[in-house]
Amino acid sequence: MKLTATLREKFKITISYLFILLFVYAAVSKLMDFQNFQVQLGQSPLLSSYAEYVSYGVIGSELLISIILGIPQYRTYALYLAIALMSMFTSYIIIILNFSAYVPCSCGGILEKLGWTEHLLFNIFFIVSGCVAILLNNHIKKALPALITTISISSFLIIILFINSESTIQKENPFIRRFTPNIISRLQAVELNNYGFYFAGQSKNKVYLGNTFSPLTVLEIDYRSNQKKLFTITLDNDKFEFRSVKIKVLDTVFFLYDGYVPIIYRGAVSNWEAKTWVTRKPYFTMLQPVAYNKCIFMGQQLRNGESFLGTIEKGNNYKINRAEKILQKQMDGKFDTDGMMAYSPKRNIFIYTYFYRNQYTATDSHLKLLFRGKTIDTTSQAKLKVVKILKSGDTKLAAPPYSVNIKSTMHNNLLFIQSGLRGRFENSTIWTKASIIDIYNYEKQTYIGSCYIYHENDEKMTDFVANDSGIYAIIGHKVVRYNFGKPILSILKN
């Protein structure tokens, strides 16, 4: 049954009004929280360099198209523009979901609450509806090629933006890695049968894994026999509103903590019974045990939010000592000092490695500064864009952080750092298939070499640890062991 001209026109008007409702609502939602909208665009891997222009362009386009859609004689042209804009949004979502490690959202209003699948279906519905409205009211042989061209050009523009995006082209720094032959070799893998694991520590011939999904369980792996044992930690007091429970093992002792409470439990790995150790302030974001009765922590100053390192010690007395000059502020003292902790019990050395610059700081267990070392890349200044949201008072990153160092661990006199940057002459394809670990002799402050930890079944390395026998990496639901070659073993013996 053919639709009458009146019905076809009514369908076209209805779809036009739906587009007007969508665009006006989205534009007004963005304008009501415009600063946050710009920040979200700045966090996008595609739009970081163009956030300011895109923020005005998107809102302006939505409002302009809405106005033209309300003018009958220009409604068909406006529908083409509406389809083009929705095609850009859809292409953007597809690229972000498939080619980006970070998925931002900058929709505004209730559209932010949609899942990405629902968002795609939502966009596709409007694109198809717009196409049907045009095809019903125009000659198909003329309208169909025009629609295909409109959608193709719009999608192509987003693809070009992706290819030329700042996050893609700025992965290379002018430094050269040394991939020493036989530095490590893959030995074996242990199935974990689950995700969410991280390395909690090690003692003698065993490594211990905590799990973010089941924070009171510990998996013990004997790396001589590859035998696994699963333990459940019991708490002497669980009357707290936990938010982020983590576990750290130091030889035969374990610590379970949540710095948002704040609470620290302590117990022995022989029975996994956690006794309340510290229930006093300060609040903290990271904790590194360095002795049976002592931990190093990272906290934030109440007056300005800047991060600092300190020690918690509880023997006969309870002591809190701050070492506020260890972390070096470059910009805000919060984001720019973000990093990770590592400790070598044999050397009694604590190392703090920054995420966003080529620097690590070595102290003893009392946080007495020993030296400051550098990684091999050239990023000496953190590349961050920090803004304060006036409406909420929150401080946020307005662009994707330029990550230099991702994870670190120590063993004896060696520091192992997973790098986030590609060096000169390195194949970009390798970076999609492997993680790179740079190895340093921190006592001599020298770079030794680098190695690849290859992904398995398209799953990346999420954590790693080192000991006398080699490197252990969590890749997907496996713990993969890599033996050290002669270049590393000779250094570990010294």
Side-chain angles (χ1 to χ4, degrees):
M1 187 179 85
K2 292 185 177 180
L3 295 175
T4 64
T6 302
L7 287 176
R8 292 197 297 269
E9 183 62 24
K10 284 184 177 180
F11 181 80
K12 179 180 177 181
I13 294 172
T14 300
I15 297 302
S16 298
Y17 286 158
L18 283 176
F19 270 116
I20 292 172
L21 179 64
L22 171 65
F23 288 153
V24 171
Y25 172 77
V28 171
S29 297
K30 296 181 181 79
L31 283 171
M32 290 177 65
D33 198 5
F34 184 68
Q35 187 184 22
N36 194 45
F37 171 56
Q38 282 192 320
V39 169
Q40 290 174 326
L41 285 176
Q43 293 173 345
S44 166
L46 270 71
L47 305 176
S48 175
S49 302
Y50 321 105
E52 182 178 358
Y53 307 106
V54 172
S55 62
Y56 292 107
V58 168
I59 294 174
S61 297
E62 289 174 336
L63 293 176
L64 180 61
I65 293 172
S66 298
I67 293 171
I68 302 175
L69 281 168
I71 305 174
Q73 58 266 41
Y74 299 120
R75 188 164 289 147
T76 298
Y77 300 108
L79 280 173
Y80 276 106
L81 293 175
I83 291 168
L85 190 60
M86 293 301 291
S87 297
M88 289 182 180
F89 293 159
T90 304
S91 300
Y92 172 80
I93 293 173
I94 291 172
I95 290 174
I96 285 290
L97 290 178
N98 288 280
F99 300 99
S100 173
Y102 174 73
V103 182
C105 182
S106 49
C107 311
I110 61 172
L111 297 181
E112 282 192 42
K113 309 301 180 184
L114 292 178
W116 287 100
T117 301
E118 291 85 354
H119 214 136
L120 276 174
L121 293 174
F122 182 86
N123 285 10
I124 291 171
F125 167 78
F126 272 90
I127 292 173
V128 172
S129 299
C131 290
V132 172
I134 290 175
L135 291 172
L136 287 176
N137 290 272
N138 294 273
H139 198 283
I140 293 179
K141 288 186 178 180
K142 292 182 178 180
L144 187 59
L147 285 170
I148 293 173
T149 302
T150 299
I151 295 172
S152 299
I153 292 176
S154 303
S155 302
F156 183 72
L157 289 174
I158 298 299
I159 293 172
I160 292 297
L161 188 65
F162 170 67
I163 293 173
N164 291 281
S165 63
E166 183 179 27
S167 63
T168 302
I169 63 175
Q170 289 193 356
K171 292 296 183 183
E172 186 170 345
N173 266 353
F175 66 94
I176 301 174
R177 283 192 172 88
R178 182 169 61 249
F179 290 94
T180 308
N182 303 318
I183 196 168
I184 63 168
S185 59
R186 189 185 188 282
L187 182 61
Q188 56 199 3
V190 177
E191 290 287 339
L192 297 176
N193 302 321
N194 209 338
Y195 293 91
F197 285 100
Y198 62 90
F199 284 110
Q202 51 191 317
S203 63
K204 294 183 179 179
N205 301 313
K206 299 172 182 177
V207 291
Y208 298 95
L209 283 74
N211 192 290
T212 54
F213 300 133
S214 181
L216 295 183
T217 61
V218 177
L219 183 65
E220 176 190 276
I221 300 177
D222 188 319
Y223 53 77
R224 295 171 302 178
S225 62
N226 280 344
Q227 288 186 341
K228 297 182 295 181
K229 292 181 180 179
L230 189 65
F231 300 96
T232 300
I233 297 174
T234 58
L235 306 179
D236 66 345
N237 183 0
D238 61 357
K239 307 300 182 182
F240 297 99
E241 294 184 4
F242 297 112
R243 288 176 56 187
S244 181
V245 175
K246 288 292 181 67
I247 302 164
K248 289 281 189 179
V249 177
L250 183 68
D251 197 17
T252 60
V253 182
F254 76 91
F255 294 78
L256 184 145
Y257 59 93
D258 187 337
Y260 294 98
V261 174
I263 180 75
I264 305 176
Y265 299 88
R266 186 180 65 185
V269 299
S270 57
N271 57 24
W272 296 103
E273 295 176 0
K275 306 293 184 181
T276 303
W277 185 54
V278 172
T279 58
R280 305 179 188 178
K281 295 181 180 179
Y283 296 96
F284 55 89
T285 55
M286 286 192 289
L287 191 77
Q288 175 61 58
V290 294
Y292 174 74
N293 63 342
K294 189 173 186 178
C295 295
I296 293 174
F297 72 95
M298 172 183 271
Q300 288 184 328
Q301 299 178 20
L302 293 178
R303 64 181 184 274
N304 54 23
E306 293 182 8
S307 300
F308 68 91
L309 296 180
T311 59
I312 299 173
E313 190 170 2
K314 187 180 179 184
N316 295 328
N317 299 309
Y318 179 70
K319 298 179 182 178
I320 298 290
N321 293 313
R322 296 190 177 195
E324 297 183 357
K325 295 183 179 181
I326 296 297
L327 298 182
Q328 292 183 311
K329 174 182 175 180
Q330 289 186 335
M331 299 167 62
D332 67 321
K334 181 181 177 181
F335 291 108
D336 64 338
T337 55
D338 272 351
M340 48 212 151
M341 298 176 171
Y343 179 65
S344 174
K346 290 185 178 180
R347 295 295 205 273
N348 189 30
I349 299 291
F350 169 82
I351 287 185
Y352 187 86
T353 305
Y354 294 97
F355 283 136
Y356 309 125
R357 59 179 109 155
N358 63 346
Q359 187 184 84
Y360 60 88
T361 299
T363 75
D364 61 15
S365 59
H366 303 292
L367 289 180
K368 179 182 178 182
L369 180 64
L370 300 177
F371 58 86
R372 302 185 191 275
K374 290 188 176 182
T375 55
I376 58 172
D377 63 275
T378 60
T379 310
S380 59
Q381 187 76 21
K383 298 180 181 179
L384 300 172
K385 186 177 181 181
V386 181
V387 298
K388 186 172 184 178
I389 305 301
L390 298 178
K391 187 175 182 179
S392 64
D394 296 332
T395 303
K396 292 186 177 182
L397 291 176
Y402 191 79
S403 297
V404 177
N405 306 306
I406 300 173
K407 289 185 180 295
S408 69
T409 189
M410 294 174 65
H411 181 59
N412 289 356
N413 57 338
L414 296 183
L415 174 64
F416 302 80
I417 298 177
Q418 180 188 355
S419 177
L421 300 178
R422 192 172 78 239
R424 292 181 64 190
F425 314 121
E426 292 175 16
N427 191 328
S428 59
T429 304
I430 293 292
W431 277 79
T432 65
K433 299 178 179 179
S435 301
I436 287 185
I437 296 178
D438 299 324
I439 307 172
Y440 302 86
N441 184 332
Y442 63 82
E443 290 181 334
K444 296 182 178 179
Q445 299 186 46
T446 56
Y447 165 66
I448 296 171
S450 301
C451 61
Y452 290 117
I453 301 293
Y454 284 93
H455 305 162
E456 302 202 3
N457 298 321
D458 295 325
E459 293 181 306
K460 300 178 181 179
M461 180 182 76
T462 55
D463 200 3
F464 73 103
V465 71
N467 54 35
D468 284 333
S469 64
I471 292 176
Y472 291 78
I474 297 176
I475 306 176
H477 53 83
K478 294 180 181 179
V479 172
V480 183
R481 177 181 170 184
Y482 298 83
N483 277 351
F484 286 134
K486 290 183 179 179
I488 300 299
L489 291 175
S490 61
I491 297 172
L492 285 174
K493 290 178 181 179
N494 295 330

